[in-house]
């Protein structure tokens, strides 16, 4: 609902009045309870938000009934309410320096939420990341602390041999990138430059350029496009020419090391990783203890976080260039999802690039 009651604002929050103004209520805009198109970038901390409304402005408070069988939730036109979060599509960009305490090696990570549900998620802090200096590689040992556990660019050649693709050194330790807000072609964008994080300043680095552009294609519902809440993410990647073999030593702190071996790879295989929430059970081999199959999700709890993923070629026959993200759980008690999301990908370097669904990925 609308944040119009001053007695519900703590005195300390008044210092941030400029941030609160977009939340003040207007009777003619009940469908956008958190305000209209919003872009916020915090360069020093390395975080940014692109939030866009999914419904046109209207004085009528909307209600959401999930999958049609759920209890309806309605925006309260007078007070803050849980459904305020539903009619928005939000993209969160992360460029936090991995030199910060308890940081992970996850530059360029994205979180996407729409219709009140996270579609692309973050699984950090499953373990508390530790790195006292650039030689301390302990956090690389955990999937949820290194690049391969995040929605970012992952280099296949950077996996530690024998790690079963869980220990990845695509990004360098104690190296920072940048984040900035820019306006490109009339659209609000967040630009994260991780070139140095991927080794641009080193002779043995992986890439000369890694720049991720995240842009909102519509500023308000119906403006700039027929579909509201659409984001475009463009990665500019360039392999470092004549690069030397990368050698990293982490054993002095009890962490993993990495040895690329000679000659260095002059062609690299780069993947875009995307993670979704799952509450599905895994079928485990009793002899090896390894997961063999993801079982169909059956809801039994009051609240849950689960997204079903369907890789499809509906937009590009013959190539699985799209992924449908269907949340099984919405905001509130025993409610189904209130919407869905679609990822569509293309590569100028590989006409056969496609999505591959791996439901067996787990983190610690």
């Amino acid at each position: 609902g609308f944040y119009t009651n001053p007695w519900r604002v703590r005195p300390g929050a008044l210092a941030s009045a400029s941030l609160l103004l977009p939340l003040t209520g207007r009777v003619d805009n009940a469908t956008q309870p958190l305000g209209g198109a919003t872009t916020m970038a915090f360069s020093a901390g390395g975080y940014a938000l692109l939030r866009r409304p999914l419904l046109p402005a209207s004085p009528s408070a909307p209600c959401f009934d999930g999958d049609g069988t759920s209890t309806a939730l309605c925006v309260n036109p007078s007070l803050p309410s849980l459904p305020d979060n539903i009619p928005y599509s939000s993209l969160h960009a992360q460029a936090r320096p991995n030199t910060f305490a308890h940081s992970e090696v996850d530059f360029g990570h994205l979180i996407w939420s729409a219709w009140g549900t996270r579609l692309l998620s973050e699984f950090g802090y499953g373990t508390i990341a530790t790195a006292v200096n650039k030689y301390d590689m302990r956090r690389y040992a955990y999937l949820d602390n290194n690049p391969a556990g995040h929605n970012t660019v992952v280099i296949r050649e950077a996996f530690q041999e024998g790690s079963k693709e869980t220990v990845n050194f695509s990004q360098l330790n104690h190296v920072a990138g940048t984040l900035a807000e820019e306006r490109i072609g009339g659209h609000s964008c967040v630009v994260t430059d991780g070139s140095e994080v991927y080794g641009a300043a080193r002779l043995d680095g992986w890439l000369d350029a890694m720049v991720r552009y995240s842009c909102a294609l519509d500023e308000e519902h119906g403006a700039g496009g027929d579909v509201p809440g659409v984001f475009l993410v463009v990665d500019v990647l360039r392999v470092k020419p004549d690069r030397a073999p990368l050698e990293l030593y982490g054993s002095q702190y009890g962490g993993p090391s990495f040895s690329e071996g000679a000659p260095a790879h002059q062609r690299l295989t780069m993947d875009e990783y995307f993670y979704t929430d799952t509450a599905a059970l895994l079928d485990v081999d009793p002899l090896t203890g390894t997961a063999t199959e993801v079982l169909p999700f059956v809801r039994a709890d009051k609240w849950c976080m689960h997204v079903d993923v369907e890789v499809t070629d509906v937009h590009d026959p013959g190539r699985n260039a799209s992924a449908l993200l269907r949340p099984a759980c919405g905001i509130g008690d025993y409610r189904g999802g209130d919407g869905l999301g679609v990822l569509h990908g293309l590569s100028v370097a590989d006409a056969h690039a496609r999505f591959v669904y791996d439901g067996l990925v787990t983190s610690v």
Side-chain angles (χ1 to χ4, degrees):
F2 299 128
Y3 300 76
T4 56
N5 187 343
W7 306 109
R8 291 180 177 269
V9 179
R10 289 179 292 185
L14 295 178
S16 302
S18 62
L19 296 178
L20 296 176
L21 284 177
L23 305 182
T24 56
R26 280 180 30 180
V27 178
D28 62 346
N29 200 7
T31 52
Q32 299 178 4
L34 301 182
T38 302
T39 301
M40 293 187 290
F42 304 92
S43 299
Y47 294 99
L49 164 68
L50 293 162
R51 183 175 63 210
R52 297 297 182 265
L54 291 167
L55 300 176
S58 171
S60 300
C63 294
F64 307 94
D65 62 356
D67 55 6
T69 62
S70 304
T71 301
L73 284 182
C74 301
V75 170
N76 187 326
S78 301
L79 296 173
S81 59
L82 192 61
D84 291 358
N85 299 281
I86 297 178
Y88 286 92
S89 176
S90 301
L91 189 70
H92 304 257
Q94 197 277 119
R96 183 186 185 194
N98 65 41
T99 54
F100 286 6
H102 303 302
S103 290
E104 299 165 1
V105 192
D106 58 355
F107 185 91
H109 179 71
L110 298 173
I111 297 175
W112 180 31
S113 62
W115 298 111
T117 305
R118 276 192 176 185
L119 301 176
L120 299 177
S121 293
E122 156 70 57
F123 303 100
Y125 284 87
T127 55
I128 299 298
T130 302
V132 298
N133 58 43
K134 66 180 181 179
Y135 303 107
D136 184 354
M137 306 289 182
R138 284 175 288 176
R139 56 187 172 180
Y140 282 87
Y142 303 97
L143 177 63
D144 58 347
N145 287 181
N146 70 57
H150 296 87
N151 304 321
T152 190
V153 176
V154 178
I155 299 170
R156 292 189 199 177
E157 289 78 6
F159 279 107
Q160 183 192 50
E161 187 175 356
S163 70
K164 298 181 179 180
E165 296 192 352
T166 61
V167 181
N168 185 270
F169 289 87
S170 296
Q171 300 181 14
L172 299 177
N173 200 22
H174 272 238
V175 179
T178 62
L179 178 148
E181 179 184 351
E182 294 186 16
R183 195 144 188 95
I184 302 175
H187 300 287
S188 292
C189 299
V190 173
V191 182
T192 50
D193 189 336
S195 300
E196 292 197 8
V197 181
Y198 282 80
R202 298 174 51 136
L203 294 176
D204 56 0
W206 298 109
L207 305 179
D208 254 351
M210 185 283 178
V211 183
R212 170 164 280 184
Y213 296 85
S214 303
C215 302
L217 295 191
D218 61 325
E219 296 306 297
E220 297 284 356
H221 182 279
D226 296 330
V227 181
V230 175
F231 301 106
L232 175 67
V233 177
V234 177
D235 287 336
V236 178
L237 310 170
R238 185 173 64 244
V239 177
K240 195 174 188 66
D242 301 321
R243 50 180 303 275
L246 181 63
E247 304 285 337
L248 300 171
Y249 306 97
S251 58
Q252 58 184 313
Y253 286 91
S257 299
F258 177 80
S259 177
E260 182 180 1
H265 295 88
Q266 302 304 318
R267 293 179 62 88
L268 300 176
T269 307
M270 290 174 276
D271 297 315
E272 307 274 355
Y273 274 35
F274 300 98
Y275 281 88
T276 61
D277 281 300
T278 181
L281 298 177
L282 299 177
D283 190 17
V284 178
D285 187 326
L287 298 178
T288 64
T290 58
T292 58
E293 182 184 5
V294 179
L295 301 177
F297 172 68
V298 179
R299 183 169 185 171
D301 298 323
K302 186 176 184 179
W303 300 289
C304 64
M305 296 177 66
H306 177 85
V307 177
D308 288 314
V309 179
E310 178 187 351
V311 174
T312 175
D313 63 357
V314 63
H315 294 297
D316 194 348
R319 185 170 71 92
N320 288 329
S322 299
L324 304 182
L325 308 179
R326 302 179 185 272
C329 315
I331 288 179
D333 304 352
Y334 296 107
R335 296 187 68 256
D338 289 292
L340 56 82
V342 179
L343 294 177
H344 185 71
L346 61 88
S347 170
V348 297
D350 183 359
H352 302 289
R354 66 195 187 281
F355 284 105
V356 176
Y357 175 61
D358 186 350
L360 298 180
V361 173
T362 60
S363 60
V364 295

